[in-house]
Amino acid sequence: RQIPVDVVEMKEAVTAFSWEPGGSKFAIIHGESPRISASFYNMEEKGKVTLLKTFEKKQVNSIFWSPTGQFCILAGLRNMNGVLEFYDTADVVCM
C-alpha cells in the first residue's frame, strides 16, 4: 500500500490532541504544569508533518476548533480557572 506515514515524537506527556475540521492542521497540548506547551502542526499532501509553532507556559488543557477550521481556542478548563486563548492558525498567532 502507498499510505504515507510520519511520526511526531513527543518527549512529554500529551494531554490533548485535535485535528482541524476539514483541514490539514492539528494541535497538541503537552507537558506538565506549570510547563504546559501547545504545538500546532501541518500535514502536507505527501504525509510529511511540519511543526508550525509551539507556545510555551500555557495554562490550558483543552482544544476546540471552529467548525470551518483555521481558528482554534485553547482552554484551561476544570482546575485552570477558565482561561480561553484564541488562535488564528493561518498565521499561527494568538489573537
Side-chain angles (χ1 to χ4, degrees):
R1 297 183 184 191
Q2 294 183 356
I3 300 171
V5 176
D6 203 348
V7 175
V8 176
E9 185 175 330
M10 305 298 294
K11 299 201 183 292
E12 304 167 307
V14 173
T15 55
F17 173 90
S18 183
W19 279 103
E20 174 186 31
S24 61
K25 296 181 192 110
F26 60 92
I28 300 174
I29 296 174
H30 51 95
E32 299 292 329
S33 186
R35 293 194 175 120
I36 297 172
S37 298
S39 298
F40 291 93
Y41 291 85
N42 186 48
M43 179 173 278
E44 298 171 10
E45 286 186 27
K46 300 284 185 187
K48 181 176 173 12
V49 176
T50 55
L51 174 66
L52 298 175
K53 191 164 188 178
T54 297
F55 295 93
E56 297 179 346
K57 296 182 181 173
K58 296 295 172 184
Q59 292 297 311
V60 296
N61 57 11
S62 300
I63 306 165
F64 301 96
W65 289 91
S66 70
T68 58
Q70 181 180 345
F71 300 103
C72 180
I73 296 175
L74 299 181
L77 304 179
R78 295 183 289 291
N79 60 344
M80 293 193 176
N81 300 324
V83 173
L84 298 176
E85 296 184 7
F86 294 78
Y87 290 86
D88 179 350
T89 62
D91 302 321
V92 197
V93 293
C94 185
M95 301 189 309

